Amino acid sequence: MSSFFTLPGAQKKRKRAPTTDPPKKRVATSKSTRAPSKPAPAAKKRIERDESISGSESESDEGIEENDASGSSSESENEGETAAEKRLRLAERYLENVRQEVDETGFNAEDVDRDIIAERLQEDVAELKGKVYRKIAPELAVDQASHTHFRCDTLSTTSVAICAPFVYTVSKDRCLVKWKLQELPANQYPQTTKKKPKKPPAPPRRRPTKVAILKGNHKKSQDKGYQGHVADILCVAASQDGKFVVTGGADKRLIIYDAKSLKPLRVFMHHRDAVTGLAFRRGTNQLYSASKDRTVKVWSLDELAYIETLFGHQDEVVDIDALAQERCVSVGARDRTARLWKVVEETQLVFRGGSIDKKQTANINPRSLAHEGSMDRVAMIDDELFVTGSDNGSIALWSIQKKKPLYILPQAHGLEQPLLPTEASAEEDPSPKVVPAPQPRWITALRTLPYSDLILSGSWDGYVRVWKLSEDKKRIEPAGILGNTSADVDAIPNGVSADDSEDEMAVDSTSGSKSPQWLVNGIINDIALFERGERGKDGLCVVVGVGKDHRLGRWKRIKGGKNGAVVFEVPRTKTSLENGTVNGE
């Protein structure tokens, strides 16, 4: 049987036909009749074919051919250039265009562009390294700041958080209120037509509008499924992306809300005592929480999950702050320590307070120079510097390179009024010697503008005081008082003076003195701020939470104080060149 499958392998192969010339490739012809080209080598055929195709396209569109004649010639010259040579050629062409524009306008923009680019590069590098890169304090018209008081029918405001243009306030009666800030007066009534308006513009709106309010129920304390607070809310924080709002309270609860609707998303009960402080890691949804159970806990809000607990404080952790790196700084009240937590390395640096800078006691009564009993407030300037505020009225500047403070500013908010002899003693005719020395006002609020030289502090003297970091970054210097236009008020009221006594009377409504309208009546419990415009060219917005008593207790109560919050709009004074133009033009 002979078939294809039984034949030997040699016979299976079919013989190929004798080789002949390969078939000629067809050449695309244009509209104009041309003679058929003779066969040529493969490379010449390919070039001829490309030329014929380009010729047919150019003939079909004569207008485009005339306009692109110069372009095709330049492309033919640049056929053999590499990618690097092409980038260099485009850059030279761009510089030539810029040079022509400079010649037409009549000024040399090379120096301006060089300065702007160098400044931006320095700022970017400094921001990545976590160092101070902006000196904004001298550019703010602090004394020209406008003020607006707003409130809801609540008790003392304990904390404030900002995610522009929204502000979130919490109070001791378990209320979370969402407000919307007003635009700057120049942007509130934009002119839509070219005609000149006949009527004068309406007065600008300054008071924030209430968007939503959420109140907890203290009767639900035994209900484990209740997604709300059942005791005082002590702190609030808002994420930078505007997705989450977080509150912590004396009921040991940490509640995550949807920022848009204030709908509770998750309730955490991991802390064993009151939650006193919250801070988001800058640019992320990683959250740090401080509690009276002497721990700091780390959370991830993207997964709505708990990560880990940080141990080390020997007393209640009352405040916490964080920046871009995965680390945070907390203060431990009466253990008088600030601790820098390196979360990734699982280590901590301990900074011990309690010291007094005796070099600065020239104008201070030694009896009023109190020792530090509790470290209550902390705020990070950058990843190497931070400031703390204490119950002895001092603000301390710290560096992570040293265990002791670089600088201590004593009695930043002055001294309280001295007691009367009858108030200090139960005798009918007490001696003035029994009257104790006046004590300094506590630092109840402290905030910085991250990666800048601006520091704000608050107490119950009626002022939000502004400080700046010195050029050598080793001192804290006064920069003014928000909304203060009187030269009689001393920026650093060390000791008891007539001005200091008037300030206290301005806070106390029982006195007969007339208080200025811009004075903050009450205890400043928290400060939040943000910059308006690109890189703060439109100024600074500061929101201050005010209450009749302290956020953590009722040790101090201000007569005539008002619960609520105050908005300060701080304008810019110094114009700076930005891409060759002056701000405001």
Side-chain angles (χ1 to χ4, degrees):
M1 181 175 79
S2 64
S3 66
F4 177 79
F5 298 101
T6 58
L7 289 176
Q11 297 181 10
K12 288 181 183 179
K13 298 181 180 179
R14 296 180 181 179
K15 295 183 179 180
R16 296 182 179 178
T19 58
T20 58
D21 294 338
K24 298 179 180 180
K25 294 183 178 179
R26 293 183 180 180
V27 179
T29 58
S30 60
K31 291 183 179 179
S32 60
T33 58
R34 292 184 181 179
S37 59
K38 296 181 180 181
K44 293 183 178 181
K45 287 182 180 180
R46 189 178 297 108
I47 295 173
E48 182 180 358
R49 182 169 179 266
D50 295 340
E51 290 177 354
S52 64
I53 292 175
S54 62
S56 63
E57 291 176 352
S58 61
E59 289 177 2
S60 62
D61 197 352
E62 296 178 357
I64 298 176
E65 181 183 6
E66 295 177 359
N67 295 333
D68 296 344
S70 60
S72 61
S73 62
S74 62
E75 289 177 0
S76 61
E77 295 176 358
N78 301 323
E79 281 183 357
E81 68 178 355
T82 62
E85 293 173 348
K86 183 177 180 180
R87 288 195 296 268
L88 180 61
R89 177 172 55 82
L90 295 177
E92 291 175 350
R93 184 187 301 175
Y94 171 74
L95 292 176
E96 183 64 26
N97 295 337
V98 172
R99 192 176 296 109
Q100 292 178 1
E101 293 177 0
V102 169
D103 294 339
E104 293 176 0
T105 54
F107 70 93
N108 187 7
E110 182 179 359
D111 296 336
V112 177
D113 290 340
R114 187 185 297 112
D115 294 341
I116 293 174
I117 293 173
E119 183 180 358
R120 288 290 181 88
L121 290 175
Q122 291 176 359
E123 291 177 357
D124 294 340
V125 172
E127 185 175 5
L128 291 175
K129 291 184 178 181
K131 297 181 180 180
V132 176
Y133 70 95
R134 282 191 302 167
K135 293 179 174 57
I136 193 176
E139 301 179 3
L140 294 175
V142 175
D143 56 345
Q144 301 176 13
S146 63
H147 63 92
T148 304
H149 185 273
F150 65 97
R151 58 165 298 178
C152 191
D153 191 13
T154 60
L155 297 181
S156 297
T157 301
T158 55
S159 184
V160 178
I162 289 182
C163 180
F166 298 105
V167 177
Y168 302 91
T169 61
V170 293
S171 58
K172 287 190 174 182
D173 54 354
R174 308 171 303 279
C175 284
L176 168 63
V177 187
K178 180 179 180 181
W179 309 82
K180 184 176 181 181
L181 294 171
Q182 301 291 349
E183 293 287 340
L184 292 175
N187 303 329
Q188 287 188 13
Y189 303 104
Q191 188 174 351
T192 57
T193 60
K194 296 182 179 180
K195 296 181 180 180
K196 186 177 180 180
K198 298 180 180 179
K199 298 181 179 180
R205 298 185 298 268
R206 300 184 183 276
R207 192 181 304 275
T209 58
K210 185 171 64 175
V211 179
I213 182 172
L214 190 65
K215 187 171 184 178
N217 188 354
H218 67 281
K219 297 180 180 179
K220 299 284 187 178
S221 59
Q222 302 300 326
D223 187 359
K224 296 182 179 180
Y226 179 64
Q227 292 188 327
H229 282 286
V230 296
D232 301 356
I233 304 179
L234 303 179
C235 52
V236 63
S239 60
Q240 284 188 326
D241 57 5
K243 291 184 179 180
F244 303 104
V245 175
V246 187
T247 59
D251 53 1
K252 312 175 188 178
R253 298 192 178 201
L254 185 74
I255 304 180
I256 317 297
Y257 303 89
D258 176 46
K260 186 176 181 180
S261 61
L262 292 187
K263 178 183 177 182
L265 301 177
R266 190 74 180 271
V267 178
F268 292 106
M269 300 285 291
H270 291 61
H271 280 293
R272 297 184 178 181
D273 208 335
V275 182
T276 55
L278 296 169
F280 274 98
R281 180 185 169 196
R282 191 176 177 86
T284 68
N285 287 328
Q286 185 172 344
L287 178 72
Y288 304 99
S289 64
S291 173
K292 288 185 178 181
D293 61 2
R294 300 180 292 180
T295 65
V296 173
K297 293 186 183 294
V298 187
W299 315 82
S300 175
L301 298 195
D302 290 328
E303 293 82 13
L304 294 177
Y306 157 79
I307 298 179
E308 62 177 320
T309 302
L310 308 176
F311 297 92
H313 277 290
Q314 303 301 313
D315 196 25
E316 302 172 352
V317 187
V318 291
D319 199 12
I320 193 169
D321 197 14
L323 289 181
Q325 294 189 12
E326 199 166 354
R327 55 178 62 177
C328 60
V329 176
S330 61
V331 287
R334 295 201 172 273
D335 70 356
R336 295 181 294 181
T337 64
R339 296 175 186 257
L340 175 68
W341 306 90
K342 298 181 180 180
V343 180
V344 178
E345 294 88 344
E346 296 183 352
T347 58
Q348 57 178 291
L349 298 178
V350 183
F351 305 89
R352 300 194 180 277
S355 59
I356 299 177
D357 196 348
K358 297 181 180 180
K359 299 178 182 179
Q360 307 175 32
T361 59
N363 300 324
I364 300 176
N365 185 358
R367 296 178 60 198
S368 299
L369 198 62
H371 285 267
E372 185 178 30
S374 175
M375 195 178 292
D376 297 332
R377 284 299 195 177
V378 65
M380 296 186 70
I381 299 175
D382 55 34
D383 290 317
E384 294 183 356
L385 299 173
F386 64 93
V387 289
T388 59
S390 306
D391 64 347
N392 65 344
S394 63
I395 299 176
L397 175 65
W398 302 79
S399 171
I400 63 173
Q401 308 297 334
K402 294 185 177 181
K403 296 295 184 182
K404 294 295 182 180
L406 298 177
Y407 182 80
I408 298 177
L409 179 69
Q411 301 177 6
H413 284 260
L415 300 174
E416 294 192 75
Q417 281 187 314
L419 297 174
L420 297 175
T422 55
E423 296 175 344
S425 175
E427 298 180 2
E428 294 182 358
D429 189 14
S431 172
K433 296 182 180 180
V434 301
V435 178
Q439 295 300 307
R441 301 185 180 98
W442 307 346
I443 303 299
T444 58
L446 192 63
R447 189 66 61 193
T448 62
L449 185 64
Y451 304 112
S452 73
D453 61 342
L454 187 67
I455 304 170
L456 281 78
S457 65
S459 186
W460 58 79
D461 60 342
Y463 300 114
V464 178
R465 300 186 183 267
V466 184
W467 317 90
K468 65 179 180 180
L469 199 63
S470 61
E471 292 288 339
D472 57 359
K473 303 175 187 176
K474 293 182 179 180
R475 293 175 60 88
I476 299 175
E477 301 173 350
I481 299 174
L482 283 187
N484 172 46
T485 56
S486 174
D488 297 334
V489 179
D490 186 10
I492 310 179
N494 291 329
V496 179
S497 62
D499 298 333
D500 195 40
S501 300
E502 290 177 3
D503 296 345
E504 182 69 16
M505 291 182 182
V507 177
D508 189 355
S509 63
T510 58
S511 62
S513 61
K514 183 178 180 180
S515 62
Q517 294 182 357
W518 49 266
L519 261 177
V520 180
N521 291 332
I523 298 179
I524 299 174
N525 285 322
D526 200 7
I527 300 174
L529 57 100
F530 73 98
E531 292 182 286
R532 287 193 180 272
E534 183 181 0
R535 290 181 177 266
K537 67 178 182 179
D538 294 332
L540 189 72
C541 179
V542 181
V543 182
V544 174
V546 187
K548 293 182 180 180
D549 43 32
H550 194 270
R551 69 185 185 103
L552 297 179
R554 294 190 175 182
W555 310 290
K556 181 70 177 180
R557 188 171 181 86
I558 302 299
K559 296 180 180 179
K562 295 182 179 180
N563 298 326
V566 181
V567 179
F568 291 94
E569 293 289 350
V570 187
R572 290 284 288 268
T573 56
K574 183 178 179 180
T575 57
S576 59
L577 288 176
E578 188 80 17
N579 294 331
T581 61
V582 180
N583 291 345
E585 294 183 358

